[in-house]
Amino acid sequence: MTVAAASSSDGTGLARPAAQAAVLARYDELGTLLAGMDDRPRADPGLSAEAAPVLLHEARLLDAGRFEDWLAGWTDDAVLWLPLSAPAHPGTDQSLLLDDNRRLAERVEWRRDPSAWGQHPPSRTTRVVGSIEAWPAPGGGLVTRSTLLVDEFRHGRHQALAGYQIHELVGGDLERRTKILVMPALGTGVRNPSFLL
Amino acid sequence: MTTVSFDPASADFGQLVQPHRVHRRIYTDPQIFDLEMTRVFAASWCYVGHESEIPEAGDYRATTLGRRPVLMTRDRDGSVNVLLNRCTHRGTVLAVEAGGCAKRFVCPYHGWTFAPDGQLLAIPFPADHPVEDYSTLSLGRLATASYRGFVFATLNADPEPLECWLGEARDAFDTIVDRHPGGSIAVMGSPQLLEFVGNWKLSWDNAADGLHATFAHESYNTLGEKVDTETVLARDPGSTPMVSKALRNGHMVVDQRPGIPQGPWETMRKVPFREPMEYALVNAGHAGLLNLATGSMVNLSLFPNLLFVGNQLLVIEPVAVDRTRLQLWLTSAPDAPGEIDLLRLRVDEDFVNFGTPDDLDMFERVQRGLSIPEMEWIDMSRGLPDGSVDGDGSTIYGPITSEAPQRRYLAHYTTLMTTPAVTRAR
Ligand code: FES
Ligand SMILES: [Fe+2]
């Protein structure tokens, strides 16, 4: 079998221990960000105010089904992670999903495919974002925590899931580098959760 | 329109499952559902959990068996017990967490205390309690047996030995376990839990259904095509050499391996964080190991509650006649290089996110369609007459488009429903 030529940007070309370590480094970052959230000090009021429109905008794009616009707001090294509970680690615990940029793009394509029966007809969602807190991120940018209530209506039924989301927003446009969505209902049983992003 | 009327507890039940068609009522009738919880789920061996989930004395895990709350525990001797999760005083459920470690189970209501093997150890204020022999008040026990570390239990008063019940299914079972280095397979922490508004048998009708991959999973196959990857489900079901097998006791196998000569890894799109580890493994001469990051490509279904799909164990939990919960547990390969489990985590998310939602939608649509009383029958005749049967009649082989596995599990189901076994707690 063959594998595409090495390129330093995606971590290919590394020897085995280094390749595994590179993956684990990002996973550890995610696990640590999630584990430390409850112990953070009171948020920075200015940064929290700055984060609010970014988070509300994202919620509006998702509720409106503007997935391509939503997709454009991620960095190249983006990760969207939906663990099944918290704390959790992406390298040892099963998740609902952990997407990089490539799989995020596939997810948007899948939702547009009329034979993706699980989302056709699509879920109609209403997101309520609240309790927005933000702190400076170590590498620049912001880390935010906000609560999220998503009401989903589909096939004549609705379900409401509540939880919280953690964002790492970087650069001048506050692009999403990391998003962790924690929905406790995932640990008890939900109907077709493919509306969660 | 013909109307089937019958006493659900009588042998007339057999009218509902005919060789070529099945009546809607077995999916919609709450009385039939209630009977199934005893005649099928309590009377059969059911998968409860894996020994790797309870490595230490006192470890336990809670689940359900035919809606009964049960506990799988490891006691001080290291043996595994499956117990009814119900205090023998007034009935309180003892453990309400999904799992944990408890040297003893203390009932929160009046303090009766039980050992992990189910023995009653203590009753508070015993002086005014007339019980003399505590052993009459042990927790209810199920007959328990393991195969390759997988724990099964039953309330059948006289069960056939587990290995006989598995029968020919042991071949596929061994194939799935033995490909793990050292034959060592384990089950990771918590499951994904997905529910659908439909009867539990809809997941059985689907488990060995090779035809639906082309239609219900068109969107999954399209994602593959866009990146020149022929997914395992993208094969022409009418001409693929993949084989389906209908075994005794309702068990089913779909062996996909003959249809993917290039090996399972080549059927996978690029999952997140794949490249660095893949490149390093290939460069170090371990390309073959990558197939371990995917499933065995042998889908084994053990009636009534365990499906092996990919690297996941799919456990079917009936909740109500029109409600089912699926537990999706991920298996790991503890003796394989670390990259394998890291890749498995992302690989098994793939189908769960881009395939399973479509299955769930089909199940809910079928349940809705079956609500129409005037349309009574479900056609199950594809592939009749049944194809090759091996010497002793134990296995029916056929193309993956045949509905022989569905017919056979439903025939076994009918036997269980019409000739009920005695069930009891030990
Ligand atoms: S119900 Fe358990 S001690 Fe009374
Ligand atoms: Fe399917």
Side-chain angles (χ1 to χ4, degrees):
Chain A
M1 78 183 274
T2 53
V3 171
S7 90
S8 51
S9 64
D10 63 4
T12 54
L14 299 171
R16 281 182 64 193
Q20 203 174 330
V23 172
L24 280 172
R26 183 71 165 114
Y27 286 1
D28 287 344
E29 204 186 308
L30 291 157
T32 305
L33 181 60
L34 177 59
M37 190 46 66
D38 290 348
D39 296 330
R40 285 186 174 243
R42 188 182 296 176
D44 180 302
L47 293 180
S48 302
E50 196 183 334
V54 181
L55 299 176
L56 300 180
H57 182 230
E58 182 193 23
R60 177 157 51 86
L61 291 178
L62 291 172
D63 286 346
R66 289 174 54 193
F67 302 117
E68 289 78 6
D69 295 332
W70 174 74
L71 190 62
W74 292 86
T75 62
D76 289 343
D77 59 347
V79 170
L80 168 66
W81 179 34
L82 270 75
L84 298 174
S85 59
H89 189 282
T92 51
D93 299 302
Q94 206 182 187
S95 305
L96 180 65
L97 61 93
L98 188 150
D99 287 2
D100 59 2
N101 224 291
R102 180 172 56 202
R103 192 150 78 181
L104 282 172
E106 287 184 324
R107 199 171 286 282
V108 169
E109 281 181 41
W110 182 80
R111 292 188 68 125
R112 293 297 184 214
D113 183 342
S115 60
W117 315 110
Q119 271 301 320
H120 277 265
S123 300
R124 308 296 301 269
T125 57
T126 305
R127 286 172 169 75
V128 181
V129 180
S131 306
I132 298 170
E133 300 177 277
W135 303 264
L142 309 178
V143 168
T144 76
R145 179 197 189 276
S146 54
T147 50
L148 180 69
L149 173 65
V150 192
D151 186 82
E152 185 221 15
F153 189 78
R154 185 163 189 271
H155 279 336
R157 296 168 182 265
H158 87 106
Q159 59 180 341
L161 304 183
Y164 64 95
Q165 49 184 1
I166 298 169
H167 284 77
E168 184 195 355
L169 304 169
V170 301
D173 292 336
L174 292 179
E175 284 192 314
R176 292 178 289 278
R177 177 174 182 265
T178 302
K179 175 176 176 177
I180 308 174
L181 190 53
V182 181
M183 290 286 174
L186 291 177
T188 61
V190 291
R191 289 176 67 218
N192 181 357
S194 58
F195 63 92
L196 286 177
L197 289 172
Chain B
M1 156 185 151
T2 54
T3 303
V4 174
S5 64
F6 71 103
D7 165 7
S10 79
D12 295 345
F13 184 88
Q15 296 175 48
L16 300 182
V17 181
Q18 301 178 5
H20 63 298
R21 62 181 192 173
V22 182
H23 198 272
R24 59 179 281 275
R25 282 183 68 178
I26 69 165
Y27 299 87
T28 58
D29 187 328
Q31 273 182 287
I32 291 177
F33 177 83
D34 287 346
L35 279 175
E36 289 171 350
M37 292 307 101
T38 295
R39 295 187 179 183
V40 175
F41 280 83
S44 304
W45 286 106
C46 284
Y47 174 69
V48 177
H50 192 266
E51 288 173 5
S52 62
E53 297 175 73
I54 51 167
E56 308 292 338
D59 288 348
Y60 72 91
R61 188 159 79 63
T63 183
T64 65
L65 191 155
R67 297 211 294 180
R68 296 155 181 82
V70 299
L71 294 171
M72 175 178 76
T73 67
R74 192 178 291 273
D75 64 34
R76 267 174 313 178
D77 308 337
S79 42
V80 173
N81 310 272
V82 180
L83 306 167
L84 292 169
N85 185 1
R86 176 204 184 277
C87 178
T88 48
H89 180 216
R90 253 189 261 158
T92 307
V93 165
L94 290 171
V96 292
E97 300 291 339
C101 185
K103 297 294 173 212
R104 41 194 58 192
F105 294 101
V106 181
C107 179
Y109 203 172
H110 313 96
W112 288 26
T113 301
F114 300 88
D117 65 1
Q119 279 185 63
L120 175 62
L121 297 174
I123 299 178
F125 314 111
D128 61 355
H129 201 291
V131 62
E132 276 170 17
D133 181 2
Y134 275 25
S135 72
T136 62
L137 289 167
S138 299
L139 297 179
R141 293 181 70 79
L142 287 79
T144 303
S146 289
Y147 187 76
R148 312 289 313 254
F150 293 76
V151 179
F152 294 80
T154 180
L155 287 156
N156 192 315
D158 183 25
E160 98 178 282
L162 180 67
E163 300 215 349
C164 300
W165 173 80
L166 288 168
E168 298 74 24
R170 279 179 297 168
D171 282 351
F173 208 139
D174 291 340
T175 299
I176 289 166
V177 175
D178 285 337
R179 75 192 191 108
H180 293 73
S184 173
I185 183 171
V187 171
M188 289 189 195
S190 328
Q192 298 178 8
L193 295 169
L194 300 175
E195 294 195 1
F196 61 89
V197 180
N199 186 267
W200 64 276
K201 291 187 291 303
L202 296 172
S203 32
W204 272 85
D205 297 341
N206 184 67
D209 178 338
L211 186 57
H212 86 290
T214 304
F215 302 95
H217 295 307
E218 187 182 334
S219 66
Y220 184 74
N221 298 331
T222 300
L223 282 182
E225 276 164 30
K226 286 186 176 159
V227 289
D228 296 322
T229 303
E230 193 184 12
T231 67
V232 70
L233 299 180
R235 320 292 147 137
D236 175 353
S239 62
T240 176
M242 295 178 186
V243 182
S244 91
K245 299 181 196 176
L247 310 179
R248 281 191 311 118
N249 291 335
H251 308 323
M252 318 187 290
V253 170
V254 178
D255 190 348
Q256 300 170 308
R257 293 172 300 177
I260 46 166
Q262 71 278 49
W265 184 248
E266 295 290 319
T267 69
M268 277 307 306
R269 295 191 327 284
K270 303 253 182 257
V271 296
F273 296 93
R274 165 175 161 167
E275 278 93 336
M277 293 187 291
E278 175 183 41
Y279 185 90
L281 276 172
V282 172
N283 251 8
H286 298 301
L289 270 178
L290 288 164
N291 287 325
L292 258 186
T294 70
S296 64
M297 299 296 155
V298 177
N299 288 5
L300 169 65
S301 308
L302 297 175
F303 189 78
N305 83 330
L306 178 62
L307 317 179
F308 290 84
V309 185
N311 281 310
Q312 282 178 320
L313 310 175
L314 213 148
V315 180
I316 296 167
E317 264 191 291
V319 176
V321 67
D322 59 356
R323 188 110 189 168
T324 305
R325 185 182 304 124
L326 303 175
Q327 305 173 358
L328 282 69
W329 299 84
L330 184 58
T331 60
S332 61
D335 292 348
E339 290 97 331
I340 297 307
D341 286 347
L342 285 172
L343 287 166
R344 278 189 180 195
L345 283 157
R346 302 289 83 82
V347 164
D348 278 78
E349 286 165 8
D350 191 66
F351 194 74
V352 167
N353 281 272
F354 302 117
T356 305
D358 298 332
D359 284 322
L360 295 171
D361 212 62
M362 294 308 129
F363 301 163
E364 297 201 350
R365 287 187 194 212
V366 172
Q367 190 73 25
R368 220 174 128 203
L370 295 182
S371 71
I372 303 171
E374 291 77 13
M375 297 297 286
E376 296 180 77
W377 297 100
I378 295 168
D379 178 81
M380 286 274 186
S381 63
R382 183 178 264 273
L384 276 174
D386 283 329
S388 33
V389 180
D390 69 356
D392 60 358
S394 58
T395 304
I396 300 169
Y397 298 87
I400 58 165
T401 51
S402 170
E403 286 169 341
Q406 288 89 335
R407 286 190 288 275
R408 194 134 194 225
Y409 99 74
L410 285 163
H412 176 67
Y413 161 84
T414 307
T415 306
L416 293 174
M417 290 294 280
T418 52
T419 53
V422 177
T423 53
R424 60 173 171 79
R426 284 152 197 262

